[in-house]
C-alpha cells in the first residue's frame, strides 16, 4: 500500500503529471479564488487524494490532463485527483502569479498528495464518499457523478442534466422531468454506487417535459423557469385534470405556455408578496389561473 506523502515537485522530477476525472464537478471560479487566498496565507492543510491514472482508465473512467484538458489514453505517467481539484487549481494559479511579483512576495509553498488509503474500495465509491459524505455536492454535481460512473443510457437523467447544467435546481429539474421530486440526491447517490432506480430508466415522460420547457421558453425568461414556481403550477393543473383528459394535457398546456403575452409574463415574473398579505407564489398562481382559464375558454 502506498502511504507516503508526495509533493508536486517530486512528481515533476519523476515525470509524472496530474490529471482529473472528466466528469467530476466543474471548477468554480469563486471557490478557486477563495482557495488561493487561503493557501497563500496558510498553505495546503490537507493532502490531495490520488490514484494512478492507469487504474482509473482501466476502470472505464475518462481521464483528462488537468492543465490542457486533453484526454489521456495511456495513464502510465499520470496520477488522478479524486478530490482537491479547486486546491490544486489554486496552487497552479499562485505559481503562475509568481511571474508577476517580486521574489520576496512570491508564493513558495508545496502541494502535497497521498494515495487513497483503502485501495480495496473502488474509485467510484471513494469519489462518492469524498464528495458526498465529506464535502457535499450541489444538485448538478450529483447528476454529473452518475453520468460519469454509469455507462447505461438513462434518458431521464440526460434531461435532468441538461437542465441542471443551465442552472436549474435538482428539484426543479426533477419536476420538469417527472412531475415530482422523484430524481432526488438519495436516488443519485445510490446510482453512483450501482443501484439504479427505475425512475432514471423511464423515458415515457421525457418528451412531455421537453415539450413544456421549450414552450415556456417562448414566453418566460430563463431565470423564471429555473425556479420551481411555474412547474409547480403546471403539476397542480395536471393533477386537477380529469383522467379522461390527461392524454391531451401536454398539448393544451404547451400551447398555453407558448402563447402567453410577454407583457403578462413580465408581470408574473415581477410579482412580489406583501408582508401579512399574499405570498409571491399565490400572486403568480392567481395570474396564471386567470390566463389559463381565458385560454381554455377561447381555444377548447
Amino acid at each position: 500500500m502506498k502511504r507516503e506523502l508526495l509533493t508536486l515537485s517530486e512528481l515533476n522530477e519523476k515525470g509524472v503529471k496530474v490529471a482529473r476525472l472528466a466528469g467530476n464537478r466543474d471548477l468554480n471560479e469563486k471557490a478557486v479564488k477563495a482557495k488561493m487566498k487561503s493557501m497563500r496565507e496558510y498553505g495546503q492543510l490537507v493532502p490531495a487524494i490520488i490514484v494512478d491514472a492507469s487504474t482509473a482508465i482501466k476502470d472505464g473512467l475518462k481521464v483528462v490532463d488537468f492543465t490542457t484538458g486533453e484526454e489521456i489514453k495511456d495513464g502510465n505517467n499520470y496520477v488522478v485527483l479524486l478530490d482537491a481539484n479547486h486546491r490544486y487549481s489554486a496552487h497552479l494559479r499562485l505559481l503562475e502569479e509568481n511571474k508577476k511579483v517580486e521574489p520576496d512576495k512570491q508564493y513558495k509553498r508545496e502541494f502535497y498528495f497521498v494515495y487513497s488509503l483503502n485501495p480495496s474500495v473502488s474509485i467510484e465509491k471513494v469519489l462518492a464518499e469524498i464528495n458526498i459524505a465529506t464535502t457535499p455536492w450541489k444538485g448538478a454535481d450529483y447528476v454529473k457523478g452518475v453520468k460519469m460512473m454509469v455507462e447505461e443510457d438513462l434518458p431521464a437523467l440526460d434531461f435532468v442534466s441538461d437542465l441542471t447544467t443551465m442552472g436549474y435546481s435538482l428539484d426543479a429539474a426533477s419536476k420538469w422531468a417527472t412531475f415530482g421530486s422523484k430524481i432526488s440526491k438519495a436516488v443519485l447517490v445510490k446510482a453512483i454506487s450501482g443501484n439504479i432506480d427505475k425512475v432514471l430508466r423511464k423515458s415515457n415522460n421525457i418528451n412531455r417535459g421537453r415539450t413544456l420547457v421549450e414552450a415556456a421558453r417562448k414566453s418566460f425568461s430563463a431565470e423564471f423557469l429555473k425556479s420551481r414556481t411555474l412547474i409547480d403550477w403546471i403539476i397542480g393543473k395536471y393533477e386537477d385534470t380529469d383522467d379522461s383528459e390527461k392524454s391531451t394535457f401536454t398539448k393544451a398546456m404547451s400551447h398555453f405556455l407558448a402563447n402567453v403575452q410577454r407583457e403578462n409574463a413580465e408581470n408574473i415574473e415581477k410579482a412580489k408578496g406583501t408582508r401579512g398579505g399574499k405570498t409571491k407564489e399565490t400572486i403568480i398562481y392567481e395570474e396564471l389561473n386567470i390566463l389559463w382559464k381565458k385560454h381554455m375558454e377561447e381555444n377548447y
Side-chain angles (χ1 to χ4, degrees):
M1 182 186 298
K2 302 176 182 178
R3 291 180 180 269
E4 70 271 21
L5 200 63
L6 301 170
T7 67
L8 180 59
S9 296
E10 290 171 339
L11 292 181
N12 289 337
E13 290 175 3
K14 297 177 182 179
V16 178
K17 298 180 180 180
V18 179
R20 68 191 302 260
L21 295 173
N24 207 345
R25 69 172 80 184
D26 295 330
L27 291 175
N28 180 283
E29 183 65 17
K30 184 177 180 180
V32 172
K33 289 182 177 179
K35 294 296 183 184
M36 289 175 68
K37 180 179 179 180
S38 173
M39 293 176 69
R40 186 184 288 110
E41 185 171 357
Y42 304 110
Q44 181 187 3
L45 301 178
V46 180
I49 299 174
I50 56 174
V51 295
D52 289 327
S54 56
T55 300
I57 294 172
K58 183 179 179 181
D59 286 352
L61 300 175
K62 183 178 179 180
V63 175
V64 297
D65 184 285
F66 194 95
T67 303
T68 66
E70 295 181 3
E71 184 175 358
I72 299 163
K73 299 294 186 181
D74 180 359
N76 291 332
N77 296 318
Y78 278 91
V79 291
V80 179
L81 287 172
L82 293 190
D83 81 326
N85 285 282
H86 287 95
R87 277 177 282 157
Y88 184 66
S89 180
H91 179 76
L92 296 183
R93 292 249 198 115
L94 289 168
L95 293 179
E96 187 65 24
E97 285 187 355
N98 285 346
K99 300 175 182 179
K100 304 176 183 179
V101 299
E102 297 297 323
D104 61 330
K105 296 181 180 180
Q106 290 182 350
Y107 170 80
K108 299 178 181 180
R109 299 182 184 274
E110 187 57 87
F111 196 87
Y112 298 89
F113 306 87
V114 65
Y115 276 89
S116 177
L117 296 178
N118 192 343
S120 65
V121 178
S122 68
I123 292 176
E124 291 90 339
K125 187 62 178 177
V126 171
L127 187 68
E129 290 301 309
I130 289 173
N131 289 299
I132 296 170
T134 306
T135 306
W137 274 346
K138 295 179 181 179
D141 298 321
Y142 286 88
V143 178
K144 284 180 177 291
V146 178
K147 288 183 68 64
M148 176 172 60
M149 300 300 178
V150 179
E151 296 182 1
E152 181 180 340
D153 184 27
L154 301 171
L157 185 69
D158 289 339
F159 181 40
V160 169
S161 177
D162 290 343
L163 295 180
T164 56
T165 298
M166 291 187 286
Y168 288 61
S169 68
L170 176 59
D171 190 42
S174 173
K175 287 181 176 180
W176 283 104
T178 69
F179 270 28
S181 301
K182 299 174 183 178
I183 301 179
S184 63
K185 291 179 181 178
V187 167
L188 297 177
V189 169
K190 290 180 180 178
I192 290 174
S193 300
N195 184 7
I196 301 175
D197 192 286
K198 61 182 180 181
V199 69
L200 296 176
R201 292 191 169 105
K202 286 187 176 181
S203 59
N204 56 323
N205 292 330
I206 303 307
N207 287 337
R208 175 183 65 186
R210 290 190 185 279
T211 297
L212 294 175
V213 168
E214 289 302 319
R217 284 174 181 159
K218 295 178 181 179
S219 303
F220 296 94
S221 69
E223 286 303 311
F224 182 67
L225 295 184
K226 291 177 185 178
S227 73
R228 298 189 301 268
T229 308
L230 181 59
I231 184 56
D232 280 344
W233 176 80
I234 293 172
I235 293 171
K237 286 302 172 188
Y238 178 76
E239 292 175 345
D240 290 341
T241 301
D242 292 337
D243 290 342
S244 61
E245 298 177 357
K246 284 185 176 179
S247 61
T248 60
F249 177 83
T250 299
K251 181 179 179 180
M253 180 57 73
S254 61
H255 187 260
F256 164 71
L257 294 172
N259 287 280
V260 173
Q261 295 297 310
R262 184 58 193 147
E263 179 181 356
N264 292 326
E266 288 180 344
N267 288 335
I268 289 171
E269 293 166 2
K270 294 176 181 178
K272 294 182 179 180
T274 58
R275 183 175 297 180
K278 296 179 179 178
T279 65
K280 175 181 177 179
E281 288 73 19
T282 298
I283 295 171
I284 290 175
Y285 293 166
E286 288 179 350
E287 291 297 319
L288 286 169
N289 285 336
I290 291 172
L291 295 174
W292 171 253
K293 182 179 179 180
K294 181 180 179 182
H295 176 82
M296 296 300 287
E297 289 173 348
E298 293 178 350
N299 295 276
Y300 297 94

